[in-house]
Amino acid sequence: MGFLTTHVLDTARGQPAAGLKILLYRLEGESRALLAETVTNADGRTDSPILPEDGFETGTYELVFHAGDYLRNAGRAGAEPLFLDQVPIRFGMAEDAHYHVPLLLSPYGYSTYRGS
Protein backbone atom coordinates (compact mmCIF):
# COMPACT_ATOMS: atom_id res chain seq x y z
CA MET A 1 0.00 0.00 0.00
CA GLY A 2 1.09 3.56 -0.67
CA PHE A 3 1.62 6.38 1.80
CA LEU A 4 3.17 9.85 1.89
CA THR A 5 5.77 11.31 4.22
CA THR A 6 7.62 14.62 4.33
CA HIS A 7 10.18 16.52 6.33
CA VAL A 8 11.71 20.00 6.31
CA LEU A 9 15.35 20.95 6.70
CA ASP A 10 16.45 24.52 7.35
CA THR A 11 19.53 24.57 5.12
CA ALA A 12 20.59 28.08 6.22
CA ARG A 13 20.84 26.91 9.83
CA GLY A 14 21.89 23.35 9.07
CA GLN A 15 19.15 21.80 11.19
CA PRO A 16 15.61 20.42 11.06
CA ALA A 17 12.80 22.96 10.77
CA ALA A 18 10.72 22.30 13.88
CA GLY A 19 7.24 23.81 14.28
CA LEU A 20 6.53 24.35 10.58
CA LYS A 21 2.86 23.97 9.57
CA ILE A 22 2.10 21.80 6.53
CA LEU A 23 -1.21 21.34 4.70
CA LEU A 24 -1.95 18.49 2.27
CA TYR A 25 -4.52 18.84 -0.51
CA ARG A 26 -5.83 16.40 -3.11
CA LEU A 27 -6.46 18.00 -6.50
CA GLU A 28 -9.09 16.89 -8.99
CA GLY A 29 -9.53 19.19 -11.96
CA GLU A 30 -10.05 22.67 -10.54
CA SER A 31 -11.12 21.45 -7.09
CA ARG A 32 -8.80 21.19 -4.11
CA ALA A 33 -9.73 19.23 -0.96
CA LEU A 34 -7.85 19.60 2.31
CA LEU A 35 -6.83 16.15 3.58
CA ALA A 36 -4.45 16.88 6.43
CA GLU A 37 -2.86 19.60 8.53
CA THR A 38 0.18 18.96 10.68
CA VAL A 39 3.25 20.59 12.25
CA THR A 40 6.81 19.32 12.07
CA ASN A 41 8.40 17.91 15.22
CA ALA A 42 11.90 18.60 16.61
CA ASP A 43 13.37 16.39 13.87
CA GLY A 44 11.61 18.42 11.12
CA ARG A 45 9.36 15.45 10.39
CA THR A 46 5.70 14.71 10.95
CA ASP A 47 4.90 12.27 13.75
CA SER A 48 3.16 9.95 11.30
CA PRO A 49 2.67 9.80 7.53
CA ILE A 50 0.85 12.91 6.31
CA LEU A 51 -1.15 10.57 4.07
CA PRO A 52 -1.33 7.11 5.66
CA GLU A 53 -1.99 3.83 3.87
CA ASP A 54 -5.70 3.80 4.75
CA GLY A 55 -6.25 7.16 3.00
CA PHE A 56 -3.89 6.69 0.07
CA GLU A 57 -5.08 7.06 -3.52
CA THR A 58 -3.03 7.71 -6.61
CA GLY A 59 -3.53 11.17 -8.09
CA THR A 60 -2.35 14.76 -7.91
CA TYR A 61 -1.59 16.37 -4.56
CA GLU A 62 -0.22 19.59 -3.15
CA LEU A 63 1.78 20.15 0.02
CA VAL A 64 1.72 23.73 1.28
CA PHE A 65 4.57 24.55 3.65
CA HIS A 66 4.02 27.65 5.81
CA ALA A 67 7.65 28.75 5.53
CA GLY A 68 6.97 32.41 6.30
CA ASP A 69 5.50 31.68 9.72
CA TYR A 70 8.44 29.40 10.51
CA LEU A 71 10.98 32.04 9.41
CA ARG A 72 9.20 34.78 11.40
CA ASN A 73 9.16 32.60 14.53
CA ALA A 74 12.88 31.86 14.05
CA GLY A 75 13.64 35.59 13.77
CA ARG A 76 14.98 35.20 10.24
CA ALA A 77 12.14 36.39 8.05
CA GLY A 78 13.62 39.62 6.73
CA ALA A 79 11.59 42.54 5.44
CA GLU A 80 7.90 42.28 4.60
CA PRO A 81 6.61 41.14 2.26
CA LEU A 82 8.70 38.00 2.62
CA PHE A 83 10.44 36.55 -0.39
CA LEU A 84 9.07 33.11 0.61
CA ASP A 85 5.86 32.76 2.55
CA GLN A 86 3.74 29.75 1.65
CA VAL A 87 5.60 27.21 -0.47
CA PRO A 88 3.29 24.96 -2.53
CA ILE A 89 4.66 21.76 -4.04
CA ARG A 90 2.31 20.07 -6.53
CA PHE A 91 3.16 16.48 -7.43
CA GLY A 92 1.63 13.26 -8.70
CA MET A 93 1.58 9.80 -7.18
CA ALA A 94 1.00 7.21 -9.91
CA GLU A 95 1.56 3.95 -8.05
CA ASP A 96 0.88 2.39 -4.67
CA ALA A 97 4.27 3.08 -3.10
CA HIS A 98 5.96 5.12 -0.41
CA TYR A 99 6.34 8.71 -1.60
CA HIS A 100 8.58 11.05 0.38
CA VAL A 101 8.50 14.74 -0.56
CA PRO A 102 10.90 16.80 1.59
CA LEU A 103 11.52 20.53 1.57
CA LEU A 104 15.01 22.04 1.88
CA LEU A 105 14.42 25.62 2.99
CA SER A 106 16.27 28.88 3.47
CA PRO A 107 14.86 32.44 3.63
CA TYR A 108 15.56 33.02 -0.08
CA GLY A 109 15.29 29.61 -1.70
CA TYR A 110 14.02 26.08 -1.49
CA SER A 111 14.27 22.75 -3.26
CA THR A 112 12.52 19.41 -3.17
CA TYR A 113 12.90 15.93 -4.61
CA ARG A 114 11.32 12.50 -4.40
CA GLY A 115 13.07 10.90 -1.49
CA SER A 116 12.96 7.43 -0.04
Side-chain angles (χ1 to χ4, degrees):
M1 293 284 297
F3 62 102
L4 172 65
T5 58
T6 187
H7 76 274
V8 184
L9 297 175
D10 183 332
T11 58
R13 295 171 67 187
Q15 63 187 37
L20 193 146
K21 183 169 107 174
I22 306 168
L23 304 177
L24 173 67
Y25 295 92
R26 179 172 170 80
L27 302 155
E28 291 190 41
E30 294 299 315
S31 70
R32 186 169 98 152
L34 180 64
L35 299 181
E37 179 177 333
T38 191
V39 175
T40 56
N41 60 24
D43 195 33
R45 299 179 182 276
T46 59
D47 289 330
S48 60
I50 194 163
L51 183 61
E53 290 179 4
D54 63 359
F56 184 87
E57 291 182 58
T58 58
T60 304
Y61 292 83
E62 186 174 75
L63 286 165
V64 178
F65 297 87
H66 286 250
D69 293 340
Y70 165 79
L71 293 167
R72 284 182 194 98
N73 290 338
R76 298 178 29 261
E80 296 284 342
L82 299 183
F83 182 72
L84 293 176
D85 195 356
Q86 293 184 14
V87 175
I89 299 175
R90 189 169 289 185
F91 59 97
M93 298 190 292
E95 55 191 51
D96 286 338
H98 175 201
Y99 285 82
H100 184 69
V101 181
L103 181 70
L104 306 177
L105 176 66
S106 76
Y108 298 101
Y110 68 92
S111 66
T112 190
Y113 56 93
R114 181 176 175 187
S116 58

